[in-house]
Short mmCIF file of all heavy atoms in Angstrom, two decimals:
data_model
loop_
_atom_site.label_atom_id
_atom_site.label_comp_id
_atom_site.label_asym_id
_atom_site.label_seq_id
_atom_site.Cartn_x
_atom_site.Cartn_y
_atom_site.Cartn_z
N LYS A 49 -3.84 -5.46 8.13
CA LYS A 49 -4.32 -6.49 7.19
C LYS A 49 -3.74 -6.26 5.80
O LYS A 49 -3.26 -7.19 5.16
CB LYS A 49 -5.85 -6.44 7.16
CG LYS A 49 -6.46 -7.53 6.30
CD LYS A 49 -7.97 -7.50 6.33
CE LYS A 49 -8.49 -6.28 5.63
NZ LYS A 49 -9.95 -6.18 5.65
N ILE A 50 -3.77 -4.99 5.35
CA ILE A 50 -3.26 -4.67 4.01
C ILE A 50 -1.77 -5.03 3.93
O ILE A 50 -1.31 -5.65 2.96
CB ILE A 50 -3.47 -3.16 3.69
CG1 ILE A 50 -4.96 -2.88 3.57
CG2 ILE A 50 -2.72 -2.75 2.44
CD1 ILE A 50 -5.33 -1.40 3.62
N GLU A 51 -1.03 -4.68 4.98
CA GLU A 51 0.40 -4.98 4.97
C GLU A 51 0.65 -6.48 4.93
O GLU A 51 1.55 -6.96 4.25
CB GLU A 51 1.08 -4.33 6.18
CG GLU A 51 1.19 -2.82 6.02
CD GLU A 51 1.55 -2.06 7.29
OE1 GLU A 51 1.88 -2.72 8.30
OE2 GLU A 51 1.49 -0.83 7.25
N MET A 52 -0.19 -7.23 5.66
CA MET A 52 -0.05 -8.70 5.65
C MET A 52 -0.31 -9.26 4.26
O MET A 52 0.41 -10.13 3.77
CB MET A 52 -1.01 -9.33 6.66
CG MET A 52 -0.39 -9.49 8.03
SD MET A 52 -1.62 -9.88 9.28
CE MET A 52 -2.36 -11.35 8.60
N ILE A 53 -1.36 -8.73 3.61
CA ILE A 53 -1.70 -9.20 2.26
C ILE A 53 -0.55 -8.87 1.30
O ILE A 53 -0.14 -9.70 0.49
CB ILE A 53 -3.03 -8.57 1.78
CG1 ILE A 53 -4.19 -9.15 2.59
CG2 ILE A 53 -3.25 -8.79 0.28
CD1 ILE A 53 -5.56 -8.54 2.29
N CYS A 54 -0.01 -7.65 1.42
CA CYS A 54 1.10 -7.24 0.54
C CYS A 54 2.29 -8.19 0.69
O CYS A 54 2.87 -8.66 -0.30
CB CYS A 54 1.55 -5.81 0.87
SG CYS A 54 0.37 -4.55 0.35
N ARG A 55 2.64 -8.48 1.94
CA ARG A 55 3.78 -9.37 2.18
C ARG A 55 3.50 -10.77 1.64
O ARG A 55 4.36 -11.42 1.04
CB ARG A 55 4.07 -9.48 3.69
CG ARG A 55 4.70 -8.25 4.25
CD ARG A 55 4.82 -8.34 5.76
NE ARG A 55 5.33 -7.09 6.27
CZ ARG A 55 6.61 -6.74 6.24
NH1 ARG A 55 7.49 -7.59 5.76
NH2 ARG A 55 6.99 -5.57 6.69
N TYR A 56 2.27 -11.22 1.86
CA TYR A 56 1.89 -12.56 1.42
C TYR A 56 1.98 -12.65 -0.10
O TYR A 56 2.54 -13.61 -0.65
CB TYR A 56 0.46 -12.85 1.91
CG TYR A 56 -0.12 -14.13 1.38
CD1 TYR A 56 0.29 -15.35 1.90
CD2 TYR A 56 -1.06 -14.12 0.36
CE1 TYR A 56 -0.23 -16.54 1.40
CE2 TYR A 56 -1.59 -15.29 -0.14
CZ TYR A 56 -1.18 -16.50 0.38
OH TYR A 56 -1.69 -17.66 -0.12
N VAL A 57 1.45 -11.63 -0.80
CA VAL A 57 1.47 -11.65 -2.27
C VAL A 57 2.92 -11.52 -2.78
O VAL A 57 3.31 -12.18 -3.74
CB VAL A 57 0.53 -10.57 -2.85
CG1 VAL A 57 0.68 -10.48 -4.37
CG2 VAL A 57 -0.92 -10.89 -2.49
N ALA A 58 3.73 -10.69 -2.11
CA ALA A 58 5.14 -10.56 -2.51
C ALA A 58 5.81 -11.93 -2.45
O ALA A 58 6.58 -12.31 -3.35
CB ALA A 58 5.85 -9.57 -1.60
N ASP A 59 5.49 -12.71 -1.42
CA ASP A 59 6.05 -14.07 -1.29
C ASP A 59 5.60 -14.96 -2.44
O ASP A 59 6.37 -15.78 -2.94
CB ASP A 59 5.58 -14.72 0.02
CG ASP A 59 6.35 -14.21 1.23
OD1 ASP A 59 7.37 -13.52 1.03
OD2 ASP A 59 5.92 -14.50 2.36
N LEU A 60 4.34 -14.81 -2.86
CA LEU A 60 3.81 -15.67 -3.93
C LEU A 60 4.65 -15.55 -5.20
O LEU A 60 4.75 -16.48 -5.98
CB LEU A 60 2.36 -15.29 -4.27
CG LEU A 60 1.26 -15.65 -3.28
CD1 LEU A 60 -0.09 -15.27 -3.85
CD2 LEU A 60 1.28 -17.14 -2.97
N TYR A 61 5.21 -14.32 -5.41
CA TYR A 61 5.98 -14.09 -6.63
C TYR A 61 7.49 -14.07 -6.35
O TYR A 61 8.27 -13.68 -7.20
CB TYR A 61 5.56 -12.75 -7.25
CG TYR A 61 4.14 -12.72 -7.77
CD1 TYR A 61 3.07 -12.50 -6.90
CD2 TYR A 61 3.86 -12.90 -9.11
CE1 TYR A 61 1.77 -12.46 -7.37
CE2 TYR A 61 2.57 -12.86 -9.58
CZ TYR A 61 1.51 -12.64 -8.71
OH TYR A 61 0.23 -12.59 -9.19
N ASN A 62 7.85 -14.43 -5.14
CA ASN A 62 9.26 -14.47 -4.71
C ASN A 62 9.98 -13.13 -4.79
O ASN A 62 11.10 -13.03 -5.31
CB ASN A 62 10.05 -15.54 -5.49
CG ASN A 62 11.39 -15.80 -4.84
OD1 ASN A 62 11.54 -15.68 -3.62
ND2 ASN A 62 12.39 -16.14 -5.65
N TYR A 63 9.34 -12.08 -4.28
CA TYR A 63 10.04 -10.79 -4.09
C TYR A 63 10.57 -10.78 -2.66
O TYR A 63 9.85 -11.15 -1.73
CB TYR A 63 9.09 -9.61 -4.34
CG TYR A 63 8.82 -9.39 -5.81
CD1 TYR A 63 7.90 -10.19 -6.49
CD2 TYR A 63 9.52 -8.43 -6.53
CE1 TYR A 63 7.68 -10.03 -7.86
CE2 TYR A 63 9.30 -8.25 -7.89
CZ TYR A 63 8.38 -9.05 -8.55
OH TYR A 63 8.17 -8.89 -9.90
N GLN A 64 11.83 -10.39 -2.48
CA GLN A 64 12.47 -10.40 -1.16
C GLN A 64 12.44 -9.00 -0.55
O GLN A 64 12.59 -8.02 -1.27
CB GLN A 64 13.94 -10.84 -1.28
CG GLN A 64 14.14 -12.18 -1.97
CD GLN A 64 13.64 -13.34 -1.12
OE1 GLN A 64 13.81 -13.35 0.08
NE2 GLN A 64 12.99 -14.31 -1.77
N GLU A 65 12.30 -8.96 0.77
CA GLU A 65 12.16 -7.64 1.41
C GLU A 65 13.47 -6.86 1.42
O GLU A 65 14.55 -7.41 1.62
CB GLU A 65 11.66 -7.81 2.86
CG GLU A 65 11.47 -6.45 3.52
CD GLU A 65 10.54 -6.50 4.72
OE1 GLU A 65 10.21 -7.60 5.19
OE2 GLU A 65 10.15 -5.41 5.18
N ILE A 66 13.35 -5.54 1.22
CA ILE A 66 14.48 -4.62 1.38
C ILE A 66 13.99 -3.42 2.19
O ILE A 66 12.86 -2.97 2.00
CB ILE A 66 15.09 -4.20 0.02
CG1 ILE A 66 16.30 -3.28 0.23
CG2 ILE A 66 14.06 -3.54 -0.90
CD1 ILE A 66 17.18 -3.13 -0.99
N ARG A 67 14.80 -2.97 3.15
CA ARG A 67 14.44 -1.79 3.95
C ARG A 67 15.55 -0.78 3.78
O ARG A 67 16.70 -1.07 4.10
CB ARG A 67 14.30 -2.16 5.42
CG ARG A 67 13.22 -3.20 5.65
CD ARG A 67 12.99 -3.43 7.13
NE ARG A 67 12.14 -4.59 7.33
CZ ARG A 67 11.32 -4.75 8.35
NH1 ARG A 67 11.26 -3.84 9.29
NH2 ARG A 67 10.59 -5.84 8.46
N THR A 68 15.21 0.38 3.28
CA THR A 68 16.23 1.42 3.06
C THR A 68 15.89 2.62 3.95
O THR A 68 14.76 2.74 4.43
CB THR A 68 16.27 1.85 1.58
OG1 THR A 68 14.99 2.33 1.21
CG2 THR A 68 16.67 0.70 0.67
N PRO A 69 16.86 3.52 4.17
CA PRO A 69 16.62 4.66 5.07
C PRO A 69 15.54 5.60 4.53
O PRO A 69 15.35 5.71 3.32
CB PRO A 69 17.97 5.38 5.11
CG PRO A 69 18.96 4.41 4.58
CD PRO A 69 18.24 3.50 3.67
N VAL A 70 14.90 6.28 5.47
CA VAL A 70 13.91 7.30 5.10
C VAL A 70 14.62 8.52 4.50
O VAL A 70 14.09 9.22 3.67
CB VAL A 70 13.07 7.68 6.34
CG1 VAL A 70 12.26 8.94 6.11
CG2 VAL A 70 12.13 6.54 6.73
N MET A 71 15.85 8.76 4.96
CA MET A 71 16.63 9.92 4.47
C MET A 71 17.60 9.50 3.38
O MET A 71 18.23 8.45 3.49
CB MET A 71 17.48 10.50 5.60
CG MET A 71 16.72 11.13 6.71
SD MET A 71 17.87 11.89 7.88
CE MET A 71 18.32 10.50 8.88
N GLU A 72 17.70 10.31 2.34
CA GLU A 72 18.71 10.09 1.29
C GLU A 72 19.30 11.45 0.94
O GLU A 72 18.73 12.49 1.26
CB GLU A 72 18.07 9.49 0.03
CG GLU A 72 17.46 8.11 0.19
CD GLU A 72 18.47 6.95 0.17
OE1 GLU A 72 19.68 7.20 -0.05
OE2 GLU A 72 18.04 5.81 0.40
N HIS A 73 20.45 11.43 0.23
CA HIS A 73 20.99 12.70 -0.28
C HIS A 73 20.03 13.25 -1.32
O HIS A 73 19.55 12.50 -2.19
CB HIS A 73 22.38 12.48 -0.89
CG HIS A 73 23.41 12.14 0.14
ND1 HIS A 73 23.85 13.06 1.05
CD2 HIS A 73 24.06 11.00 0.41
CE1 HIS A 73 24.73 12.48 1.85
NE2 HIS A 73 24.87 11.22 1.49
N THR A 74 19.77 14.55 -1.26
CA THR A 74 18.80 15.19 -2.16
C THR A 74 19.11 14.92 -3.63
O THR A 74 18.22 14.68 -4.44
CB THR A 74 18.81 16.72 -1.89
OG1 THR A 74 18.53 16.91 -0.51
CG2 THR A 74 17.78 17.46 -2.73
N ASN A 75 20.39 14.91 -3.92
CA ASN A 75 20.85 14.70 -5.29
C ASN A 75 20.28 13.42 -5.93
O ASN A 75 20.03 13.38 -7.13
CB ASN A 75 22.38 14.59 -5.25
CG ASN A 75 22.97 15.38 -6.37
OD1 ASN A 75 22.21 16.03 -7.11
ND2 ASN A 75 24.27 15.32 -6.52
N LEU A 76 20.10 12.41 -5.09
CA LEU A 76 19.59 11.12 -5.60
C LEU A 76 18.25 11.33 -6.32
O LEU A 76 18.03 10.81 -7.41
CB LEU A 76 19.42 10.13 -4.45
CG LEU A 76 18.72 8.82 -4.81
CD1 LEU A 76 19.58 7.97 -5.75
CD2 LEU A 76 18.38 8.01 -3.56
N PHE A 77 17.36 12.10 -5.69
CA PHE A 77 16.02 12.28 -6.27
C PHE A 77 16.07 13.22 -7.48
O PHE A 77 15.32 13.06 -8.42
CB PHE A 77 15.05 12.78 -5.20
CG PHE A 77 14.94 11.82 -4.05
CD1 PHE A 77 15.46 12.12 -2.80
CD2 PHE A 77 14.36 10.57 -4.24
CE1 PHE A 77 15.39 11.22 -1.76
CE2 PHE A 77 14.29 9.65 -3.20
CZ PHE A 77 14.80 9.98 -1.95
N ILE A 78 16.98 14.20 -7.42
CA ILE A 78 17.09 15.11 -8.56
C ILE A 78 17.53 14.32 -9.79
O ILE A 78 16.99 14.47 -10.88
CB ILE A 78 18.10 16.25 -8.25
CG1 ILE A 78 17.54 17.10 -7.10
CG2 ILE A 78 18.38 17.10 -9.49
CD1 ILE A 78 18.45 18.21 -6.62
N ARG A 79 18.48 13.39 -9.58
CA ARG A 79 19.00 12.62 -10.71
C ARG A 79 18.06 11.55 -11.21
O ARG A 79 18.13 11.11 -12.35
CB ARG A 79 20.33 11.98 -10.32
CG ARG A 79 21.43 12.94 -10.62
CD ARG A 79 22.80 12.56 -10.24
NE ARG A 79 23.20 11.19 -10.40
CZ ARG A 79 24.31 10.73 -9.85
NH1 ARG A 79 25.08 11.52 -9.13
NH2 ARG A 79 24.67 9.48 -10.02
N SER A 80 17.16 11.07 -10.35
CA SER A 80 16.32 9.94 -10.75
C SER A 80 14.88 10.35 -11.06
O SER A 80 14.41 10.21 -12.17
CB SER A 80 16.34 8.87 -9.66
OG SER A 80 15.95 9.45 -8.42
N VAL A 81 14.20 10.88 -10.05
CA VAL A 81 12.80 11.29 -10.24
C VAL A 81 12.74 12.48 -11.21
O VAL A 81 11.80 12.61 -11.99
CB VAL A 81 12.14 11.64 -8.88
CG1 VAL A 81 10.71 12.11 -9.06
CG2 VAL A 81 12.17 10.43 -7.95
N GLY A 82 13.79 13.32 -11.18
CA GLY A 82 13.95 14.34 -12.20
C GLY A 82 13.48 15.72 -11.80
O GLY A 82 12.44 15.88 -11.16
N GLU A 83 14.26 16.72 -12.24
CA GLU A 83 13.99 18.11 -11.88
C GLU A 83 12.68 18.64 -12.43
O GLU A 83 12.08 19.55 -11.88
CB GLU A 83 15.13 19.00 -12.39
CG GLU A 83 16.02 19.45 -11.27
CD GLU A 83 17.26 20.14 -11.80
OE1 GLU A 83 17.91 19.60 -12.71
OE2 GLU A 83 17.57 21.22 -11.29
N SER A 84 12.23 18.06 -13.55
CA SER A 84 11.01 18.59 -14.17
C SER A 84 9.75 18.04 -13.48
O SER A 84 8.66 18.51 -13.72
CB SER A 84 10.97 18.25 -15.65
OG SER A 84 10.64 16.91 -15.84
N SER A 85 9.91 17.02 -12.62
CA SER A 85 8.72 16.44 -11.96
C SER A 85 8.22 17.37 -10.86
O SER A 85 9.01 18.11 -10.26
CB SER A 85 9.08 15.08 -11.36
OG SER A 85 9.97 15.27 -10.28
N ASP A 86 6.91 17.32 -10.58
CA ASP A 86 6.35 18.09 -9.47
C ASP A 86 6.98 17.65 -8.16
O ASP A 86 7.24 18.47 -7.27
CB ASP A 86 4.83 17.85 -9.37
CG ASP A 86 4.09 18.71 -10.37
OD1 ASP A 86 4.75 19.48 -11.10
OD2 ASP A 86 2.85 18.62 -10.44
N ILE A 87 7.23 16.35 -8.05
CA ILE A 87 7.78 15.81 -6.79
C ILE A 87 9.07 16.54 -6.43
O ILE A 87 9.22 17.06 -5.32
CB ILE A 87 8.02 14.28 -6.91
CG1 ILE A 87 6.70 13.55 -7.10
CG2 ILE A 87 8.78 13.75 -5.70
CD1 ILE A 87 6.81 12.05 -7.27
N VAL A 88 10.02 16.61 -7.37
CA VAL A 88 11.31 17.23 -7.06
C VAL A 88 11.19 18.76 -7.04
O VAL A 88 11.74 19.42 -6.16
CB VAL A 88 12.39 16.77 -8.07
CG1 VAL A 88 13.66 17.60 -7.94
CG2 VAL A 88 12.70 15.29 -7.85
N SER A 89 10.42 19.32 -7.97
CA SER A 89 10.42 20.79 -8.05
C SER A 89 9.60 21.45 -6.95
O SER A 89 9.84 22.58 -6.59
CB SER A 89 9.95 21.24 -9.43
OG SER A 89 8.61 20.85 -9.62
N LYS A 90 8.60 20.71 -6.40
CA LYS A 90 7.71 21.40 -5.45
C LYS A 90 7.44 20.66 -4.14
O LYS A 90 6.96 21.24 -3.19
CB LYS A 90 6.33 21.62 -6.12
CG LYS A 90 6.37 22.51 -7.33
CD LYS A 90 5.00 23.01 -7.69
CE LYS A 90 4.20 21.95 -8.41
NZ LYS A 90 3.00 22.46 -9.06
N GLU A 91 7.67 19.34 -4.12
CA GLU A 91 7.06 18.57 -3.03
C GLU A 91 8.03 17.92 -2.04
O GLU A 91 7.59 17.20 -1.15
CB GLU A 91 6.16 17.48 -3.64
CG GLU A 91 5.00 18.06 -4.43
CD GLU A 91 4.25 17.01 -5.25
OE1 GLU A 91 4.64 15.82 -5.21
OE2 GLU A 91 3.28 17.39 -5.92
N MET A 92 9.32 18.15 -2.20
CA MET A 92 10.23 17.40 -1.34
C MET A 92 10.44 18.06 0.03
O MET A 92 10.47 19.28 0.14
CB MET A 92 11.57 17.21 -2.03
CG MET A 92 11.46 16.33 -3.25
SD MET A 92 12.95 15.44 -3.65
CE MET A 92 14.09 16.75 -3.96
N TYR A 93 10.56 17.23 1.05
CA TYR A 93 10.96 17.70 2.38
C TYR A 93 12.47 17.64 2.42
O TYR A 93 13.06 16.59 2.62
CB TYR A 93 10.36 16.80 3.47
CG TYR A 93 8.93 17.15 3.81
CD1 TYR A 93 7.87 16.55 3.14
CD2 TYR A 93 8.65 18.09 4.79
CE1 TYR A 93 6.56 16.89 3.44
CE2 TYR A 93 7.34 18.42 5.11
CZ TYR A 93 6.31 17.82 4.43
OH TYR A 93 5.02 18.15 4.75
N THR A 94 13.08 18.79 2.17
CA THR A 94 14.54 18.86 2.07
C THR A 94 15.07 19.77 3.16
O THR A 94 14.47 20.79 3.45
CB THR A 94 14.94 19.39 0.68
OG1 THR A 94 14.46 18.47 -0.29
CG2 THR A 94 16.42 19.57 0.52
N PHE A 95 16.16 19.35 3.80
CA PHE A 95 16.77 20.20 4.84
C PHE A 95 18.27 19.98 4.85
O PHE A 95 18.76 18.97 4.33
CB PHE A 95 16.17 19.87 6.22
CG PHE A 95 16.37 18.43 6.62
CD1 PHE A 95 17.45 18.04 7.41
CD2 PHE A 95 15.47 17.45 6.21
CE1 PHE A 95 17.62 16.71 7.78
CE2 PHE A 95 15.64 16.12 6.57
CZ PHE A 95 16.71 15.75 7.35
N GLU A 96 18.95 20.92 5.45
CA GLU A 96 20.40 20.77 5.62
C GLU A 96 20.66 20.14 6.96
O GLU A 96 20.09 20.58 7.97
CB GLU A 96 21.06 22.15 5.58
CG GLU A 96 21.72 22.40 4.26
CD GLU A 96 22.59 23.64 4.27
OE1 GLU A 96 23.02 24.11 5.34
OE2 GLU A 96 22.82 24.14 3.17
N ASP A 97 21.49 19.11 7.02
CA ASP A 97 21.82 18.55 8.34
C ASP A 97 22.90 19.43 8.99
O ASP A 97 23.33 20.41 8.39
CB ASP A 97 22.19 17.06 8.25
CG ASP A 97 23.54 16.82 7.60
OD1 ASP A 97 24.25 17.80 7.29
OD2 ASP A 97 23.88 15.64 7.40
N LYS A 98 23.31 19.05 10.20
CA LYS A 98 24.21 19.95 10.94
C LYS A 98 25.57 20.10 10.28
O LYS A 98 26.32 21.02 10.56
CB LYS A 98 24.34 19.45 12.38
CG LYS A 98 23.03 19.61 13.15
CD LYS A 98 23.20 19.36 14.63
CE LYS A 98 21.89 19.17 15.35
NZ LYS A 98 20.92 20.25 15.10
#
Side-chain angles (χ1 to χ4, degrees):
K49 184 177 69 181
I50 293 165
E51 287 167 8
M52 270 167 56
I53 291 176
C54 288
R55 287 173 185 281
Y56 173 75
V57 173
D59 282 349
L60 287 183
Y61 294 81
N62 193 31
Y63 285 79
Q64 305 291 320
E65 182 159 12
I66 182 164
R67 300 187 190 209
T68 59
V70 166
M71 293 185 277
E72 296 281 355
H73 291 291
T74 304
N75 223 3
L76 172 68
F77 300 110
I78 295 176
R79 272 176 39 193
S80 55
V81 178
E83 254 171 312
S84 76
S85 68
D86 279 359
I87 295 178
V88 169
S89 64
K90 297 197 282 194
E91 297 170 359
M92 294 208 298
Y93 278 90
T94 298
F95 59 95
E96 257 190 21
D97 71 5
K98 292 191 194 308

